């Protein structure tokens, strides 16, 4: 086989922001592999050329999940399907009966390492689909006993490897040359083996240390038959069990799409680069580089990361690294994935999250990714706001927007049901609840009312619950929802999207009254967000209030500002007249009444809000004076000031007329 490199394109050289090296522009370099029979095929070096990827997809339909095609294939192979069903049921029932027998003999099953090892071996033998179930369980210390947790953790990267000869053959087939010609060094044995492939440590001839991931043999056949069986089972349950209203088949198809994408390493490389472009700028987040000239469908070469699993807390602490801080970094990154850009890592188990030697959080394995559309992202933000603020009527409407409830559903009985779910017995804040407890409670609720679970929801929950499982392992008191609310508050205050502006309006106003405590709570939480800055909020706030979109809130704020100024004036006048009567002795002067209790409360809120703003990152009196000077010449700000002044004057004149008429 002859390997030749096509001439590079003429695009300008761009600097790689990861390591300062030069990288080419959008057009990829391509290796043309010419076998002895004279036909040629392309190995894509960069994901930038979408047309080339479409050609590959068309030429290799096996890289796409096709449930109809899979069903047609296995409907003709019923004996093979039955053999697989019995192959799964036999050892599974044997394991369950063993647990039952142990419990009858008084053996404490949850502390039995022998059974824990047996479960790990069973899942390994059943194949990739069941291994992934075990991986998900390995991140839930609140569900799985410690002995089982320790064994299931081995499913992340300590599975039995396949033969080196097969891996070397795949490298030769995919990259066009034997491993010794492609790499300067290659580890004698794989350093990790996961559900879909195994990883070798190597070195390029240019000196960079790399991880080489090679796909398992016969992977697609084993996964497709399990997906076919599970899909038929899901369809049967969906049809026969009337209480199940969720689209189980759709959920399974969503998982099938992701698994098939995970089996295409070119797609995984594209995901890694997109993930870097969206989230590589976040403080202390690191995404490894993909080496496209050494990557194809079944072989992926990426930058080697020296790091420690997040769950190895003692090793991390010995390096002087705070594991809890890295979890906070992971939560902030996940919030941006789910709520800002919508492109998220759907498999963040401990094997895919490493603490680097310099104290950063490195993401690995970009095979299983998913996306959330903008309406769903905004709906999730609104739902979090309504949960934290115990607005269960708003939460019920959110579930309609998120496709959990149909628009014609009667929400009247569902609102008090939400209140029961989120009512904590000790009266603690909803933010103190964890995602797993909320999910469990909602799952029970979904059987009582006409909920349906949309397919996109399964992977979101998988991602969040997995991340929370790691967080709980590191710190049992870690609350993901509590950590998330500062970011959500910042988005509500600064995001110009109409949906979030409407949500902010609903949050701050009820029955036409301004809820100062809600604004106070938002500002207090938002200041804890990493990228929240006082000057940013001031500029965006003024821009919004002076625009047509902010007309409703502007008018209400003008009224509240006038009420505040009115209360302040009343207090000043009350104090002044009291001074004249009691200290100077001018009893002829009538004592002016002070501000009402309600007005006094408003003043207290305003004082506290000013205090919060003073403590917010970016607050600088000198800089603020300069900003105010610039704002004063802004026509929109002048118009806003005129509105406040006019409204205040009108109220003052109206009060004077009332007093004259009364006298």
């Amino acid at each position: 086989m002859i390997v030749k490199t096509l001439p590079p394109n003429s695009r300008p050289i761009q600097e790689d922001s990861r390591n300062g090296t030069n990288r080419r522009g959008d057009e990829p370099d391509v290796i043309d592999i010419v076998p002895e029979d004279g036909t040629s095929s392309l190995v894509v070096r960069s994901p930038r050329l979408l047309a080339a990827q479409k050609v590959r997809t068309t030429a290799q339909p096996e890289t796409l999940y096709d449930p109809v095609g899979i069903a047609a294939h296995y409907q003709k192979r019923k004996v093979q399907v039955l053999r697989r069903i019995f192959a799964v049921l036999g050892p599974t029932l044997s394991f369950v009966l063993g647990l039952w027998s142990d419990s009858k003999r008084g053996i404490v099953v949850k502390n039995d390492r022998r059974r824990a090892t047996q479960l790990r071996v069973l899942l390994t033998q059943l194949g990739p689909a069941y291994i992934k179930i075990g991986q998900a369980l390995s991140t839930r210390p609140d569900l799985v006993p410690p002995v089982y947790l320790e064994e299931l953790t081995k499913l992340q990267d300590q599975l039995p490897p396949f033969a080196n000869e097969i891996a070397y053959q795949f490298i030769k087939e995919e990259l066009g040359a034997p491993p010794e010609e492609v790499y300067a060094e290659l580890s004698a044995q794989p350093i990790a083996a996961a559900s879909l492939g195994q990883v070798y440590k190597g070195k390029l001839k240019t000196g960079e240390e790399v991880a080489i991931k090679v796909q398992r043999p016969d992977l697609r056949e084993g996964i497709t038959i399990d997906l076919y069986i599970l899909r038929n089972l899901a369809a049967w349950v969906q049809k026969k069990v009337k209480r199940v209203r969720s689209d189980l088949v759709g959920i399974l198809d969503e998982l099938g799409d992701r698994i098939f994408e995970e089996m295409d390493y070119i797609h995984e490389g594209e995901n890694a680069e997109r993930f870097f472009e969206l989230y590589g700028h976040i403080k202390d987040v690191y995404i490894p580089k993909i080496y496209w000239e050494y990557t194809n469908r079944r072989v992926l070469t990426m930058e080697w990361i020296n790091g420690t699993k997040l769950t190895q807390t003692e090793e991390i602490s010995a390096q002087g690294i705070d594991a809890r801080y890295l979890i906070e970094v992971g939560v902030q990154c996940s919030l941006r994935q789910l709520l800002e850009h919508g492109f998220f890592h759907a498999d963040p188990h401990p094997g895919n999250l490493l603490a680097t030697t310099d104290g950063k959080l490195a993401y690995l394995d970009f095979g299983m990714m998913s996306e959330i559309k903008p309406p769903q992202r905004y709906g999730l933000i609104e739902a979090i706001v309504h949960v934290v603020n115990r607005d269960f009527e708003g939460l019920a409407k959110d579930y309609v927007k998120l496709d959990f409830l149909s628009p014609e559903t009667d929400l009247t009985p569902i609102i008090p049901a939400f209140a029961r779910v989120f009512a904590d017995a000790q009266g603690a804040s909803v933010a103190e609840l964890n995602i797993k407890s909320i999910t469990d409670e909602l799952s029970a609720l979904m059987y009582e009312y006409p909920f349906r679970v949309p397919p996109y929801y399964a992977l979101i929950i998988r991602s969040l619950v997995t991340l929370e499982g790691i967080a709980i392992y590191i710190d049992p008191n870690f609350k993901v929802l509590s950590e998330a609310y500062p970011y959500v508050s910042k988005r509500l205050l600064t995001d110009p999207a109409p949906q979030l502006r409407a949500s902010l309006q609903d949050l701050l106003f009820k029955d036409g009254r301004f809820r100062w405590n809600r604004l106070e709570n938002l500002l207090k939480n938002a200041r804890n967000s990493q990228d929240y800055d006082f000057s940013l909020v001031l500029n965006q706030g003024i821009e919004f209030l002076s625009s047509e979109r902010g007309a409703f809130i502007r008018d209400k704020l003008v009224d509240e500002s006038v009420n505040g100024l009115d209360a302040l004036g009343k207090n000043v006048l009350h104090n002044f007249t009291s001074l004249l009567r009691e200290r100077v002795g001018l009893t002829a002067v009538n004592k002016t009444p002070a501000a009402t209790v309600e007005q006094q409360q408003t003043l207290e809120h305003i004082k506290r809000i000013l205090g919060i703003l003073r403590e917010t990152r970016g607050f600088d009196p000198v800089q603020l004076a300069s900003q105010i000077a610039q704002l004063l010449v802004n026509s929109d700000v002048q118009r806003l000031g005129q509105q406040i002044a006019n409204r205040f004057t009108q109220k003052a004149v109206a009060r004077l007329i009332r007093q004259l008429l009364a006298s």
Side-chain angles (χ1 to χ4, degrees), residues 105-372:
R105 288 183 292 151
I107 297 174
V108 182
V109 175
K110 68 178 183 179
N111 296 330
D112 190 349
R113 183 170 294 279
R114 180 177 56 90
R115 289 297 184 190
T117 303
Q118 187 181 352
L119 176 60
R120 172 179 59 80
V121 173
L122 171 64
L123 294 174
T124 302
Q125 291 172 344
L126 291 180
Y130 299 91
I131 290 170
K132 288 197 169 293
I133 293 172
Q135 288 176 343
L137 289 173
S138 73
T139 64
R140 298 304 311 188
D142 52 336
L143 296 179
V144 180
V147 172
Y148 284 77
L149 201 69
E150 186 178 336
E151 284 296 321
L152 292 178
T153 301
K154 297 176 182 177
L155 294 174
Q156 293 162 10
D157 54 12
Q158 298 177 44
L159 294 170
F162 58 91
N164 280 345
E165 291 75 15
I166 298 174
Y168 295 164
Q169 181 62 30
F170 282 3
I171 291 174
K172 183 177 179 180
E173 290 175 2
E174 296 296 312
L175 303 185
E180 61 270 18
E181 293 182 20
V182 177
Y183 304 103
E185 294 178 14
L186 191 68
S187 59
Q189 297 296 329
I191 50 90
S195 55
L196 304 188
Q198 62 192 32
V199 179
Y200 296 84
K201 184 177 181 180
K203 184 179 286 188
L204 301 179
K205 295 185 183 298
T206 50
E208 297 99 324
E209 285 190 330
V210 292
I212 303 110
K213 184 157 74 168
V214 185
Q215 193 172 108
R216 288 185 177 275
D218 304 322
L219 184 62
R220 187 166 280 99
E221 179 71 15
I223 286 178
T224 51
I225 192 169
D226 282 338
L227 286 174
Y228 171 72
I229 293 169
L230 292 171
R231 193 174 191 271
N232 281 333
L233 180 62
W236 183 86
V237 170
Q238 197 168 304
K239 182 179 180 180
K240 298 295 183 180
V241 183
K242 298 302 181 184
R243 294 188 70 184
V244 176
R245 289 174 290 268
S246 302
D247 184 5
L248 297 182
V249 174
I251 291 171
L252 201 67
D253 286 344
E254 176 82 7
L255 183 63
D257 281 334
R258 300 291 82 79
I259 291 177
F260 266 67
E261 288 174 355
E262 198 173 357
M263 289 189 287
D264 183 356
Y265 288 167
I266 289 178
H267 187 79
E268 180 174 344
E270 295 169 4
N271 287 340
E273 291 212 336
R274 184 180 175 194
F275 197 85
F276 170 74
E277 290 168 2
L278 293 176
Y279 314 114
H281 66 281
I282 297 175
K283 187 176 183 293
D284 292 327
V285 166
Y286 193 84
I287 297 101
K289 177 182 177 181
I290 303 297
Y291 292 91
W292 285 103
E293 57 268 49
Y294 310 105
T295 294
N296 210 337
R297 189 170 64 84
R298 292 183 296 175
V299 177
L300 175 71
T301 303
M302 66 190 295
E303 177 185 358
W304 178 263
I305 301 294
N306 289 308
T308 310
K309 288 183 184 179
L310 283 187
T311 48
Q312 296 175 320
T313 50
E314 292 183 4
E315 291 88 337
I316 293 175
S317 298
Q319 300 172 52
I321 299 170
D322 184 356
R324 194 188 193 284
Y325 167 72
L326 291 183
I327 278 294
E328 292 173 5
V329 171
V331 169
Q332 294 304 316
C333 185
S334 293
L335 290 170
R336 282 155 182 78
Q337 292 173 49
L338 293 169
L339 305 179
E340 196 164 320
H341 298 290
F343 181 65
F344 70 96
H345 198 300
D347 194 21
H349 65 70
N352 294 335
L353 295 173
L354 299 182
T356 65
T357 52
D358 58 349
K360 293 185 178 181
L361 177 65
Y363 280 81
L364 305 178
D365 194 348
F366 301 92
M368 185 170 283
M369 311 291 287
S370 191
E371 292 201 56
I372 312 174

Side-chain angles (χ1 to χ4, degrees), residues 348-490:
H349 65 70
N352 294 335
L353 295 173
L354 299 182
T356 65
T357 52
D358 58 349
K360 293 185 178 181
L361 177 65
Y363 280 81
L364 305 178
D365 194 348
F366 301 92
M368 185 170 283
M369 311 291 287
S370 191
E371 292 201 56
I372 312 174
K373 296 177 182 177
Q376 295 159 355
R377 299 203 295 268
Y378 294 130
L380 286 171
I381 292 174
E382 291 174 298
I384 293 172
V385 171
H386 290 141
V387 166
V388 173
N389 288 284
R390 296 180 180 272
D391 183 353
F392 302 120
E393 182 179 351
L395 184 63
K397 293 176 182 176
D398 294 333
Y399 269 73
V400 174
K401 295 178 188 175
L402 291 168
D403 294 329
F404 282 83
L405 295 166
S406 61
E408 61 273 9
T409 303
D410 180 15
L411 302 180
T412 307
I414 295 176
I415 294 169
F418 275 138
R420 289 195 302 273
V421 167
F422 295 105
D424 189 75
Q426 283 74 39
S429 165
V430 175
E432 292 300 307
L433 297 172
N434 63 49
I435 292 171
K436 180 64 175 60
S437 66
I438 292 174
T439 304
D440 289 346
E441 293 283 355
L442 288 176
S443 296
L445 192 66
M446 287 177 183
Y447 282 101
E448 298 180 32
Y449 299 98
F451 284 90
R452 57 194 181 194
V453 179
Y456 73 87
Y457 176 74
L459 285 177
I460 294 175
I461 288 301
R462 184 179 191 272
S463 175
L464 283 176
V465 169
T466 302
L467 182 64
E468 186 183 64
I470 300 171
I472 291 172
Y473 188 96
I474 293 171
D475 179 2
N477 296 316
F478 194 97
K479 305 297 180 186
V480 171
L481 190 58
S482 186
E483 292 287 333
Y485 197 58
Y487 169 81
V488 172
S489 299
K490 187 269 298 187

Side-chain angles (χ1 to χ4, degrees), residues 16 21 64 209 234 300 324 426 494 507-508 524 542 638 654:
D16 187 345
T21 58
L64 298 176
E209 285 190 330
L300 175 71
R324 194 188 193 284
Q426 283 74 39
T494 60
L507 182 69
L508 296 181
K524 192 183 298 181
I542 293 295
Q638 290 176 350

